[in-house]
Amino acid sequence: MIRVLLVDDQHLIRAGLRMLCDAQPDLEVVGEADNGRDAISLAARLVPDVVVMDLRMPGVDGITATSRILADRPATRVLVLTTFGDDDHLYPALTAGACGFLLKDAPPGELLDGVRRAAGGDSPFSPEVLRRLVRRAVHARTETPRSVQGLTVREQDVLNLVAEGLSNLEIAERLHIGVTTVKTHITSLMAKTNSPNRVRLALFARG
């Protein structure tokens, strides 16, 4: 059973997420908070596996809450639920330790899959969020992604496409390989480049 803490200052968002999670046999919502201060307190008391975190909240925001929660319990996974208007908050949230970013208007299946992937140690990103993050980081740069010693030719191909902001499916279609194979290559790349998530991997590729 995956223990989930929901953090969002909008009651409707929390209610919708709770309904989605409650309908799943492997997910249990153990608490809700509408601000970062309460999220920190509840995370310490309830010990959730995954915290679904909003970023912009009154008082203590999601970035500060993420940092505090992970400082107290690094094993907790914080999954940010965001909007495109949160661009200026995304990089600070990564620095604070967030493991992934999903859009608030993502399909229910994508949200549920993201929670499960976060609990399993993965870094789930909505393709639109990942593409936006990468393009924002390299918008003024035109150089070719760097080559890295120790990578196979195929891993270098995958690394270059991650740097362009492509999703796993898009990389698979571009290279004519399976999505599972892409995931395997990305896992290997993260280990070889010491990158904790996909965005850091893309930034690494850009040098």
Side-chain angles (χ1 to χ4, degrees):
M1 186 68 73
I2 299 171
R3 296 167 57 81
V4 181
L5 172 63
L6 304 176
V7 185
D8 197 294
D9 63 343
Q10 298 183 44
H11 176 75
L12 188 60
I13 296 291
R14 297 198 314 275
L17 291 172
R18 176 177 278 278
M19 288 180 62
L20 282 175
C21 292
D22 284 347
Q24 308 303 308
D26 59 335
L27 302 181
E28 177 188 8
V29 176
V30 295
E32 297 183 25
D34 62 6
N35 62 80
R37 183 192 62 187
D38 289 347
I40 295 166
S41 175
L42 287 175
R45 179 163 59 88
L46 300 174
V47 193
D49 300 304
V50 178
V51 179
V52 179
M53 180 73 73
D54 186 21
L55 291 181
R56 294 191 289 188
M57 296 178 289
V60 177
D61 64 17
I63 295 169
T64 302
T66 295
S67 180
R68 291 275 302 279
I69 289 170
L70 294 177
D72 293 338
R73 190 170 184 272
T76 302
R77 306 286 285 172
V78 178
L79 177 62
V80 170
L81 200 58
T82 185
T83 66
F84 276 148
D86 285 324
D87 272 14
D88 292 337
H89 297 77
L90 294 180
Y91 283 107
L94 271 176
T95 301
C99 71
F101 298 84
L102 298 179
L103 296 178
K104 287 188 175 181
D105 62 354
E110 183 177 322
L111 292 172
L112 294 170
D113 180 61
V115 172
R116 294 184 176 106
R117 288 173 58 196
D122 199 358
S123 297
F125 286 84
S126 290
E128 298 90 340
V129 174
L130 178 61
R131 191 175 291 115
R132 197 175 182 96
L133 281 168
V134 172
R135 287 177 179 170
R136 181 179 173 89
V138 302
H139 73 281
R141 306 176 65 175
T142 58
E143 62 265 34
T144 302
R146 64 174 172 172
S147 296
V148 181
Q149 287 187 335
L151 301 187
T152 67
V153 173
R154 182 59 82 194
E155 285 175 340
Q156 185 68 56
D157 291 340
V158 171
L159 179 64
N160 293 346
L161 295 177
V162 169
E164 293 180 18
L166 272 64
S167 68
N168 287 353
L169 178 59
E170 290 168 331
I171 292 173
E173 292 174 345
R174 182 78 66 88
L175 298 179
H176 306 290
I177 57 179
V179 174
T180 300
T181 302
V182 173
K183 292 179 179 178
T184 299
H185 285 316
I186 289 176
T187 298
S188 176
L189 284 166
M190 287 180 177
K192 289 182 178 181
T193 62
N194 201 25
S195 300
N197 56 56
R198 194 183 184 99
V199 171
R200 293 286 179 86
L201 182 63
L203 297 180
F204 176 91
R206 289 290 178 173

